[in-house]
Amino acid sequence: MALLSLRQLLDYAAENNFGVAAFNINNLEQIHAVLEAANETDSPAIIQVSRGARKYANDVVLKQMAQGAIDLYPHIPVVIHQDHGNSPKTCFSAMQLGFSSVMMDGSLEEDGKTPASFDYNVETTASVVKVAHTLGISVEGELGCLGSLESGHGEKEDGHGHEGVLPLDMLLTDPNEAQEFVQRTGVDALAIAIGTSHGAYKFTRKPDAGILNIQRIREIHEKVPNTHLVMHGSSSLPEELQDEFRKWGGDLKTTFGVPVSEIQEGIRHGVRKINVDTDCRLAMTAAIRKFFKEQPAEFDPRKYLTLARDAMKKVCHDRMVQFGQAGHGHKIRSTPLSQFSKYYM
Ligand code: G3H
Ligand code: 13P
Ligand code: ZN
């Protein structure tokens, strides 16, 4: 059984100074893409599933697909993680499905839009940790709201996130609050706000320290050295990927993502989990657009979905190498979740 908890994997990553990409999956092609890349690079893998993905794929089917993929690659250490759980109920249902890690995103209220109070966030997250840790399952919390330090806007592109302008103190995680949050909740991993946001439109220029606050990672890490930091909204939007998407008719305004070099700097200062979805979406869609343009007479979905899967695999492969997880897969031995209690209350 290659399933392991997020805490197990990220403790190992911290001891060995690397970061782990967490890729969002919604279907068979994306599960294969992540695990094929992990297989090629000898990497551990984090597969994460949003509420939208669970609705799209159906919980029962998704569970079987994930289990099937794990059985196919028994030597790959895999974490299955609930991305942006909006309530304890969502997290508990993920635990019942067999996920080894959940994110309780209490930075927003259950509607996924309204910024929540610190106390609401603490209470909601702590209630999930209490249950999860008795089962050996890890919990990621979030403090601060993802959004642009350029415009002050929270992000709503993926249908979650605040819609209006937020004050700077909400868009940047406060290190002292992070310390109190971790003490009161016992989370294993903490997603922080440092200027990143979900989707394709993160920055209107190559980000500098004013709009992507890597220094803040260091300050937070000093306060919570045993809690693994998580960067959401960390697609890099490489120029060649943007060009490829546009070349085949995709409509994408000029945009800038989170440079891999900045993520690597974050990894040197406590970032262990890096969320990547948009780069995979763009790569898959560019491949499908190209196929449709070049082969208009074809209509076998397997032909273009294979190309889409390969395009996502390449993104996963690149990030696994760039974040340093490549080469570590065979060294990580999974412990049954029930026996894992190093940090649990
Ligand atoms: O959290 C953002 C991920 O990109 C997942 O997006 O909610 O559209 O599946 P989604
Ligand atoms: P991107 O939109 O930058 O890929 O971020 C994905 C993410 O943070 C999922 O939780
Ligand atoms: Zn996210």
Side-chain angles (χ1 to χ4, degrees), residues 178-191:
Q179 189 174 40
E180 186 183 341
F181 185 80
V182 166
Q183 275 163 1
R184 286 174 62 187
T185 60
V187 286
D188 303 284
L190 182 67

Side-chain angles (χ1 to χ4, degrees), residues 94-111:
M95 293 178 205
Q96 278 174 332
L97 277 177
F99 288 25
S100 58
S101 175
V102 295
M103 175 184 192
M104 176 60 236
D105 182 356
S107 68
L108 300 169
E109 290 183 7
E110 195 169 335
D111 64 8

